[in-house]
Amino acid sequence: MESTGSTVAELVQARWGDHRPGLRFEHQELTHHQVAAGAAARAALLADLLPRGAEPHVGVLLDNTPEYPLWLSAAALAGAAVAGINPTRRGAELARDIVHTDCRILITERAHLPLLDGLQLPGIRILVTDTDAYAELLAPYAQARPETSRAATPASRMLLYFTSGSTGAPKAAICSQGRLAAAGQSLVSHFRLGPEGVHYICMPMFHGNAVIADWAPALAGGAGVALRRRFSASAFLDDVRAYGATYFTYVGRAVQYILATPDGPDDTENPLRMGFGTEAGAVDAARFEKRFGVRLVEGYGSSEGGAAIQRTPGTPEGAIGRGAPGDELAVVDPATREECPPAVFAADGRLLNGDEAIGELVNKGRTPFEGYWRNAEADAARLRDGWYWTGDLFYRDGQGFLYFAGRTDDRLRVDSENLAAAMIEGILARWEGVAAVAVYAVPDPVAGDQVMAAVCPRAGVAFSPLAFAEFLLSQPDLGTKMAPRFVRVAREMPVTATNKVARGALRREGFRCGDPVWWRPDPGAGAYRRFTPADESALLGQYRAQGREGLLPGPHGPLPPIRP
């Protein structure tokens, strides 16, 4: 029952009359037909609620409940766009995300109402899904059918999802109905996904990963969907078995968290066929397949859609794959615009010519990048010289396989969240005991980054780890991923000739520096303690076990990256 269609709206319509199980959540189950009917009711409500002349944008601030895919489908039918609002954001930054995307309606639930307390959201109507008032509002539209608005075309905006750069506020990337429908259909074809499958969505749906790589192919292939409100490693296998899940997506450390759960003698007895995602790491992917009998396929796709890499048979260990059909991907030296030479490897897999082989990945061909919402400056930075610049560093072997090497700017990617260093610095700078602060990334032992901050205390002020931790807890806009894991207490901040903070020097030294370093051994803990030589030795063992020791800086500059 694979569906074809040039819009997401057509894919939603195709499920009308399909009485197979379509959506499961906790003790709830809806057929595909009921999902389409629920979407039709919400689309009709949306048409009546949106002010005339307003941008057709709906903010969705929800956990992974059935209301999320229902509103995605509703927006598609109405020719509207869903702005995924990140519930880990706080205060004015959260308000900014909602207002910037011109949302006139915000869909949320009672659990998230405290996040909205005191926020300035002028002209925005808030609908709270788990209330009697919401049920009463929907009731008159119960008989609506999934009719497509004339506004629902392939070019219609469908998603506005936030991605962060190195400075400033997050940018809202645009994804049209045509691109989302095509992405879903492409994954169905590439992975042979079909109507007999069940897609387990445990990654947050405000991320592009869950919507583009999990929900969209389920819709296109006629598969069922099973939702987990929030990711839970301990509940993962129970959910997979209970829902009969055959496919799931992941980002970042999710795979490591699952592997950290106790082994069971029957772990391989599960219906999963594959997982698709990024940043699992080759070591953990192998462990996952051995333990659960499930293959993980690593991929790469620019969040904005400008470049994609597909893993194909014969892809070497550590490589992501080759460029997707139609892309003209190249690894380029940003200074010269010349392509970098192929990578040269030692017998043990170390990259020997990193200085010349590593460059920025660009797409020289046609790109599906559709821009950022109301951000011409960011559009221009992404599209230069007629090329799409990913902002990511890669190297390429002699056969054209691509290997990820890092990021070009001051972005940090923590547990699959893109964070802006400048934003965190602005919060830390409020601490009255600090004279200067810089925030930068250090590699995570498994995937992505960890947050490190260098602070210079004011004259005569001694650094107090307790006072610093209490300060962090008191900041209403410090997101859950922003608190530094490492804090370097510097006597003076290194600066460039133009008196800017020399973040490159700080990154090169990382946590192996001459200044005292405090850290949280458990990333989720609030307390800091001194980082000792024993801590360093144990932590280096974690990097070594994951094949990521080569990403750490050495005492005389960066060590050459190795294939993970």
Side-chain angles (χ1 to χ4, degrees):
M1 297 182 69
E2 180 179 337
S3 301
T4 58
S6 59
T7 66
V8 177
E10 290 171 342
L11 299 180
V12 174
Q13 287 178 308
R15 302 275 71 85
W16 182 262
D18 183 347
H19 296 284
R20 296 175 303 113
L23 177 61
R24 296 183 67 184
F25 172 74
E26 296 176 353
H27 301 296
Q28 248 182 296
E29 182 172 311
L30 300 175
T31 66
H32 287 291
H33 177 82
Q34 288 172 318
V35 172
R42 286 157 181 78
L45 171 63
L46 180 60
D48 284 348
L49 291 185
L50 273 175
R52 182 169 297 180
E55 293 290 351
H57 296 174
V58 182
V60 177
L61 176 62
L62 294 171
D63 291 335
N64 289 1
T65 67
E67 289 289 343
Y68 215 122
L70 283 168
W71 275 101
L72 285 170
S73 297
L77 292 172
V82 164
I85 308 300
N86 184 342
T88 71
R89 301 268 284 168
R90 295 294 185 271
E93 299 300 337
L94 176 62
R96 180 263 171 200
D97 292 350
I98 299 167
V99 173
H100 171 71
T101 44
D102 292 314
C103 296
R104 300 302 295 271
I105 297 171
L106 178 66
I107 312 297
T108 190
E109 54 190 311
R110 285 183 291 184
H112 291 323
L113 285 178
L115 298 178
L116 304 177
D117 285 348
L119 299 190
Q120 299 299 311
L121 301 173
I124 296 173
R125 181 166 183 173
I126 299 173
L127 305 185
V128 185
T129 59
D130 48 351
T131 62
D132 291 340
Y134 178 75
E136 293 169 2
L137 195 63
L138 270 176
Y141 304 93
Q143 302 306 312
R145 296 175 65 89
E147 298 174 354
T148 303
S149 163
R150 283 180 294 178
T153 70
S156 299
R157 287 188 298 275
M158 175 70 213
L159 300 177
L160 297 171
Y161 52 100
F162 284 99
T163 179
S164 297
S166 60
T167 59
K171 303 179 291 292
I174 298 169
C175 180
S176 66
Q177 288 213 29
R179 180 156 76 89
L180 185 58
Q185 291 161 342
S186 174
L187 288 172
V188 166
S189 175
H190 188 69
F191 293 135
R192 294 187 171 91
L193 306 174
E196 74 287 349
V198 175
H199 291 217
Y200 179 52
I201 302 181
C202 55
M203 296 292 100
M205 294 191 75
F206 62 81
H207 267 174
N209 166 274
V211 175
I212 298 172
D214 214 343
W215 178 76
L219 184 64
V225 165
L227 298 177
R228 157 63 57 173
R229 176 180 286 274
R230 295 178 185 172
F231 172 73
S232 169
S234 61
F236 177 83
L237 195 55
D238 288 342
D239 277 356
V240 163
R241 288 169 171 160
Y243 295 133
T246 57
Y247 172 90
F248 78 106
T249 62
Y250 60 87
V251 289
R253 299 176 66 114
V255 167
Q256 187 190 32
Y257 294 144
I258 295 168
L259 289 171
T261 61
D263 288 16
D266 58 350
D267 282 346
T268 57
E269 297 175 11
N270 67 76
L272 277 176
R273 297 176 188 168
M274 67 167 290
F276 175 55
T278 61
E279 302 178 18
V283 173
D284 283 341
R287 290 174 180 166
F288 195 92
E289 183 168 7
K290 180 178 180 181
R291 177 174 167 182
F292 298 105
V294 178
R295 181 174 63 105
L296 300 183
V297 178
E298 286 278 301
Y300 170 88
S302 166
S303 298
E304 298 85 347
I309 300 172
Q310 291 184 353
R311 188 175 185 86
T312 55
T315 298
E317 182 180 353
I320 303 296
R322 290 190 171 106
D327 284 354
E328 296 180 24
L329 301 188
V331 178
V332 172
D333 182 334
T336 65
R337 305 296 199 268
E338 297 292 330
E339 290 199 30
C340 298
V344 177
F345 299 107
D348 61 2
R350 287 185 302 113
L351 177 63
L352 297 177
N353 62 335
D355 286 347
E356 59 178 1
I358 294 175
E360 185 169 351
L361 185 70
V362 302
N363 186 355
K364 295 182 176 181
R366 293 184 61 186
T367 169
F369 173 57
E370 296 173 305
Y372 299 106
W373 180 249
R374 299 197 189 285
N375 200 332
E377 182 180 353
D379 289 346
R382 188 64 71 188
L383 293 173
R384 307 192 307 273
D385 303 326
W387 298 347
Y388 176 87
W389 296 75
T390 66
D392 290 323
L393 299 175
F394 276 79
Y395 49 98
R396 194 174 208 157
D397 67 19
Q399 285 70 50
F401 290 101
L402 292 156
Y403 300 74
F404 181 70
R407 308 188 188 283
T408 60
D409 51 27
D410 288 328
R411 282 179 295 174
L412 300 87
R413 188 167 175 84
V414 180
D415 282 349
S416 302
E417 288 285 338
N418 284 330
L419 306 176
M423 199 167 294
I424 304 174
E425 287 172 355
I427 297 172
L428 300 189
R430 300 170 190 160
W431 186 39
E432 61 182 12
V434 70
V437 61
V439 170
Y440 46 100
V442 293
D444 183 273
V446 176
D449 306 317
Q450 293 180 355
V451 181
M452 186 164 184
V455 299
C456 288
R458 294 187 182 280
V461 176
F463 177 76
S464 167
L466 178 60
F468 184 74
E470 290 175 344
F471 161 80
L472 294 178
L473 289 172
S474 70
Q475 303 309 299
D477 53 349
L478 187 74
T480 56
K481 310 295 186 184
M482 293 181 177
R485 188 178 186 192
F486 298 93
V487 180
R488 173 179 179 172
V489 183
R491 291 182 293 273
E492 60 182 12
M493 196 70 71
V495 294
T496 66
T498 56
N499 211 33
K500 295 181 179 179
V501 174
R503 287 189 182 82
L506 293 170
R507 280 194 294 263
R508 282 193 296 273
E509 294 181 346
F511 49 73
R512 294 187 287 180
C513 60
D515 293 320
V517 173
W518 297 76
W519 80 316
R520 295 173 297 130
D522 177 357
Y528 288 85
R529 68 169 174 80
R530 277 296 294 269
F531 185 68
T532 66
D535 293 326
E536 178 180 330
S537 178
L539 189 57
L540 290 178
Q542 295 180 31
Y543 285 96
R544 193 173 298 115
Q546 295 290 333
R548 287 172 64 87
E549 187 182 19
L551 298 180
L552 288 173
H556 304 294
L559 294 173
I562 62 172
R563 292 190 286 180

